[in-house]
Amino acid sequence: QIQLVESGGGLVQAGDSLRLSCATSGRTISSYAMGWFRQAPGKEREFVAAIRRSSIITYYTDSVKGRFAISRDNAANSVYLQMNSLKPEDTAVYYCAAGFVPDGGSYYSKDAYRYWGQGTQVTVSS
């Protein structure tokens, strides 16, 4: 089993940057695909970004491409989400997730991720 704890959220203004961190424990993350999801009030949890075990291939939802960057440090058992040029519509609780994505599987689906953190609030004011 793996435990995940997010940090780095906060209240910022539009155009600002934040860096979210996901610290893990229990097992090394090197075997897991890692993802970030977010959930705004009254909305379903949605995919934001994911990174393969290899750390070379990443995936992003269209609305954050060019603004957000996911990275991982397997030695530190941590995953990061650098968020630049934040917009009010980025306001949400951000969740870190870990899972095994089979060949042909989707990195975008919540169902691919077995382990989840408790989330960190990101609020972007206009």
Side-chain angles (χ1 to χ4, degrees), residues 2 4 6 22 32-37 45 49 70 79 95-99 110 112-117:
I2 186 171
L4 304 95
E6 304 91 339
C22 175
Y32 294 89
M34 301 298 296
W36 286 96
F37 288 74
R45 192 170 300 189
I70 186 172
V79 181
Y95 298 90
C96 179
K110 297 188 295 293
Y113 300 87
R114 180 175 182 181
Y115 303 106
W116 294 82

Side-chain angles (χ1 to χ4, degrees), residues 6-22 36 38 48 60 64 67-71 79-88 90-94 120-125:
E6 304 91 339
S7 62
L11 172 62
V12 297
Q13 293 187 333
D16 286 350
S17 298
L18 278 175
R19 187 187 192 220
L20 304 184
S21 297
C22 175
W36 286 96
R38 65 187 180 187
V48 176
Y60 298 94
V64 308
R67 300 189 298 123
F68 290 13
I70 186 172
S71 61
V79 181
Y80 309 97
L81 185 67
Q82 178 66 42
M83 305 188 297
N84 299 326
S85 302
L86 282 161
K87 303 176 180 180
D90 294 320
T91 295
V93 177
Y94 283 71
T120 185
Q121 177 70 47
V122 172
T123 303
V124 184
S125 64

Side-chain angles (χ1 to χ4, degrees), residues 29-78:
I29 65 169
S30 60
S31 299
Y32 294 89
M34 301 298 296
W36 286 96
F37 288 74
R38 65 187 180 187
Q39 187 166 17
K43 295 187 177 181
E44 292 190 2
R45 192 170 300 189
E46 65 172 2
F47 171 82
V48 176
I51 186 167
R52 288 199 180 197
R53 294 177 295 169
S54 65
S55 303
I56 296 175
I57 299 175
T58 57
Y59 305 86
Y60 298 94
T61 191
D62 287 346
S63 63
V64 308
K65 285 180 180 177
R67 300 189 298 123
F68 290 13
I70 186 172
S71 61
R72 64 191 295 163
D73 183 342
N74 288 342
N77 280 318
S78 295

